[in-house]
């Protein structure tokens, strides 16, 4: 069994996003915009986590509004 977890820009209008989404076991859309390290401003795009799992066979499990690390 192999599982790959990807943090990607949530660019749902692009070919690459739709290709990954069509093969995904899960897609988690992250609430808000991420900040990395000591950055003073957030990423200029929303983010999503895409989970690929070669043992999963079915439609992706989609979650919206997943809290960012550090959010309460």
């Amino acid at each position: 069994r192999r599982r790959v977890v990807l943090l990607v820009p949530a660019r749902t209008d692009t070919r690459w996003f739709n290709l990954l989404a069509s093969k995904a076991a899960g897609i988690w859309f992250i609430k808000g915009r991420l900040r990395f390290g000591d950055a003073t401003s957030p990423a200029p795009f929303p983010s999503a986590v895409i989970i690929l799992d070669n043992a999963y066979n079915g439609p992706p499990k989609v979650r919206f509004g997943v809290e960012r690390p550090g959010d309460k």
Side-chain angles (χ1 to χ4, degrees):
R1 175 181 196 160
R2 291 185 184 203
R3 181 177 293 157
V4 177
V5 179
L6 305 163
L7 174 63
V8 299
R11 305 267 194 225
T12 60
D13 59 336
T14 61
R15 191 178 318 158
W16 65 264
F17 188 94
N18 283 278
L19 177 64
L20 284 174
S22 71
K23 299 181 180 310
I27 305 169
W28 300 352
F29 290 95
I30 299 171
K31 181 179 178 182
R33 303 222 170 164
L34 296 177
R35 288 181 192 264
F36 294 96
D38 295 328
T40 57
S41 59
F45 48 80
S47 299
V49 174
I50 294 182
I51 302 161
L52 304 173
D53 186 334
N54 69 338
Y56 182 78
N57 199 7
K61 297 174 185 171
V62 180
R63 292 181 56 196
F64 294 94
V66 175
E67 296 290 328
R68 295 170 295 181
D71 283 355
K72 303 271 183 209

